[in-house]
């Protein structure tokens, strides 16, 4: 029986996925495995790396029938002869900043890519340097000029190298604080919310014209999962975000406002912890929502024109600011009952005069809607 050996294994930042490289005496493969809580949602993704035996003329159906990793047939292979086994010491797996895709580098050269968006659909998608023609096991990796995923893998390698140097956070932090202070005055308190892990994230607290403001900084460093799959070419407009909360100081003490705004600390990690994303009209439950409310709706539109302002771009991409506004159980159920329910709830809140600043208000939906 063919025995496969694990020669490389790297989990992503949130330990939701594990990238592994396995080889036996026949072939080497690269896989991305979902962690146990995600295996009912996502399938294993695989990519052929190289044949360690001569390439067969026909498809290796016998191996497939036996559940063995198949050889790639000759018409798809750059090299027809048997290649040497991969040296584990020369392998490096680099995750995409979105935490859902990864690339394999070998002896300093790009060997394969499994793009993050492939996790969210049924078809296997991967790119291998040893492949010259698309097939069921992989597709050609090509070069940076012919394959955007090759170019992105190089960009991601540079991204991690730059962050590893440790000099990027301070200027980013200062840029974000200056942006917030231009809108809401000096930051009166600052809370780190990253638990000492990468990426650095924080909440800045401000008091401006009788309102407590709380805004995250650092979320936009990483693109969120799912967005590339959902929005394709438009993804750069949606995949980065920061969160905010505004609370009328006349209706809540600073202590209570801080407690309510602590919801942002959890929300800021959710896209990567859940392999999901946050966008306009999304709803989230929270135990620190004010009395009478069950959670929050995220919206930039709730701030109307007067409350919207541009955030500094990241990697040349737009960063959206989403305000977190408390909602009731009935309102959350209304939002989740329809694909566009979140947008409809935002529209109804605006219609009834509600905005991004929390003040007491009436429920805007009937309980049976």
């Amino acid at each position: 029986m063919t025995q496969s050996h694990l020669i490389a294994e790297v989990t992503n930042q949130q330990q939701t996925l594990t990238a592994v490289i396995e080889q036996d005496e026949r072939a080497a493969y690269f896989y991305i495995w979902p962690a146990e809580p995600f295996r009912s949602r996502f399938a294993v993704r695989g990519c052929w790396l190289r044949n360690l035996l001569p390439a067969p003329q026909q498809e290796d159906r016998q191996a497939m029938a036996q559940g063995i990793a198949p050889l790639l047939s000759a018409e798809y292979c750059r090299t027809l002869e048997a290649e040497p086994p991969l040296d584990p010491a020369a392998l490096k797996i680099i995750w995409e900043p979105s935490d859902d895709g990864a690339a394999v580098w070998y002896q300093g050269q790009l060997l394969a890519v499994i793009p993050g968006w492939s996790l969210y659909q049924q078809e296997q998608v991967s790119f291998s340097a040893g492949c010259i023609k698309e097939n069921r096991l992989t597709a050609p990796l090509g070069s940076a000029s012919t394959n955007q995923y090759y170019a992105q893998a190089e960009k991601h390698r540079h991204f991690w190298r730059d962050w590893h140097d440790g000099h990027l956070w301070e200027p980013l932090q200062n840029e974000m604080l200056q942006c917030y202070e231009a809108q809401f005055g000096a930051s009166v308190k600052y809370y780190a919310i990253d638990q000492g892990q990468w990426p650095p994230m924080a909440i800045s607290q401000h008091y401006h014209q009788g309102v407590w403001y709380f805004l995250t900084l650092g979320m936009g460093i990483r693109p969120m999962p799912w967005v590339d799959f959902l929005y394709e070419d438009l993804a750069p407009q949606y995949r980065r975000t920061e969160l905010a909360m505004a609370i009328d100081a006349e209706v809540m003490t600073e202590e209570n406002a801080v407690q309510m705004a602590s919801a942002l600390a959890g929300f800021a990690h959710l896209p990567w912890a859940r392999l999901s994303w946050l966008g306009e009209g999304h709803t989230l439950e929270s135990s620190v929502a004010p009395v009478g409310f069950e959670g929050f709706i995220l919206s930039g539109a709730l701030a109307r024109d007067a409350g919207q302002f541009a955030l500094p771009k990241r990697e040349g991409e737009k960063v959206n600011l989403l305000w977190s506004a408390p909602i009731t159980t009935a309102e959350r159920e209304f939002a989740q009952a329809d694909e566009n329910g979140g947008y409809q709830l935002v529209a109804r809140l605006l219609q009834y005069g509600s905005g991004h600043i929390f003040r007491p208000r009436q429920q805007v939906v009937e309980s049976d809607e």
Side-chain angles (χ1 to χ4, degrees):
M1 181 69 180
T2 299
Q3 180 65 42
S4 183
H5 300 282
L6 178 68
I7 60 172
E9 180 178 16
V10 181
T11 58
N12 62 1
Q13 288 285 325
Q14 295 290 329
Q15 300 186 342
T16 56
L17 302 168
T18 301
V20 302
I21 298 172
E22 296 179 356
Q23 69 181 359
D24 53 27
E25 65 270 20
R26 307 175 75 255
Y29 274 79
F30 169 41
Y31 301 99
I32 293 181
W33 281 84
E36 186 65 40
F38 298 93
R39 288 182 185 170
S40 62
R41 291 174 55 198
F42 305 119
V44 176
R45 291 289 175 253
C47 177
W48 171 89
L49 296 179
R50 60 172 49 176
N51 290 335
L52 308 185
L53 295 175
Q57 292 301 311
Q58 305 297 324
E59 189 174 43
D60 193 1
R61 294 183 180 275
Q62 183 177 357
M64 294 180 186
Q66 295 175 357
I68 300 170
L71 297 166
L72 187 63
S73 52
E75 68 173 304
Y76 305 114
C77 293
R78 185 177 303 279
T79 302
L80 301 185
E81 295 78 20
E83 295 194 73
L86 294 169
D87 176 7
L91 286 165
K92 188 174 183 64
I93 296 172
I94 297 180
W95 282 94
E96 295 179 0
S98 56
D99 231 18
D100 52 358
V104 177
W105 294 80
Y106 186 61
Q107 297 176 336
Q109 302 297 311
L110 186 60
L111 192 60
V113 174
I114 298 179
W117 62 264
S118 69
L119 189 68
Y120 313 114
Q121 40 94 67
Q122 296 302 312
E123 183 183 354
Q124 291 272 1
V125 179
S126 66
F127 303 92
S128 174
C131 175
I132 58 172
K133 182 180 176 183
E134 186 173 352
N135 59 88
R136 72 160 80 184
L137 300 180
T138 189
L141 179 61
S143 66
S145 62
T146 62
N147 187 340
Q148 63 171 315
Y149 301 108
Y150 191 116
Q152 287 175 5
E154 290 187 325
K155 183 179 178 181
H156 297 154
R157 183 173 66 163
H158 294 149
F159 174 90
W160 290 116
R161 182 193 63 195
D162 291 345
W163 274 100
H164 182 73
D165 292 343
H167 67 276
L168 294 184
W169 173 235
E170 187 174 348
L172 184 153
Q173 179 188 44
N174 290 336
E175 184 181 34
M176 293 296 295
L177 286 174
Q178 288 172 12
C179 176
Y180 293 155
E181 289 179 345
Q183 299 293 323
F184 308 116
S187 175
V188 295
K189 288 182 183 174
Y190 180 91
Y191 311 88
I193 59 171
D194 51 36
Q195 291 88 45
Q197 303 295 315
W198 191 93
M201 288 196 289
I203 295 174
S204 181
Q205 178 182 336
H206 303 254
Y207 183 76
H208 180 64
Q209 296 182 350
V211 177
W212 293 111
Y213 290 93
F214 302 86
L215 305 104
T216 67
L217 50 157
M219 272 189 77
I221 290 171
R222 292 183 289 182
M224 293 180 288
W226 269 99
V227 181
D228 282 4
F229 173 70
L230 293 172
Y231 286 95
E232 299 181 350
D233 292 344
L234 297 177
Q237 297 295 311
Y238 299 98
R239 61 186 169 206
R240 298 178 193 268
T241 195
E242 299 287 352
L243 302 178
M245 193 176 293
I247 303 164
D248 189 333
E250 289 191 3
V251 303
M252 195 171 284
T253 65
E254 179 182 3
E255 181 181 0
N256 289 340
V258 169
Q259 181 182 11
M260 177 171 149
S262 68
L264 297 178
F267 295 166
H269 295 273
L270 285 182
W272 304 277
R274 293 184 179 177
L275 288 173
S276 186
W277 70 293
L278 299 177
E280 180 73 24
H282 288 196
T283 60
L284 297 167
E285 294 183 51
S286 174
S287 61
V288 296
V291 175
F293 296 87
E294 184 194 50
F296 296 85
I297 189 165
L298 305 180
S299 173
L302 273 178
R304 298 182 172 85
D305 291 342
Q308 294 177 336
F309 56 97
L311 299 184
K313 289 186 175 182
R314 292 284 160 253
E315 307 287 319
E317 295 180 358
K318 177 183 178 182
V319 180
N320 296 290
L321 183 64
L322 295 173
W323 294 91
S324 306
I327 55 172
T328 67
T329 301
E331 288 168 343
R332 181 185 61 81
E333 292 172 349
F334 173 86
Q336 294 181 346
D338 183 87
E339 183 179 358
N340 295 313
Y343 290 98
Q344 294 168 8
L345 179 57
V346 168
R348 195 167 297 195
L349 287 166
L350 290 169
Q351 177 187 345
Y352 282 84
S354 297
H356 65 301
I357 299 172
F358 173 65
R359 298 183 175 98
R361 65 171 178 83
Q362 295 298 312
Q363 183 170 277
V364 300
V365 302
E366 299 296 331
S367 297
D368 58 352
E369 281 192 69

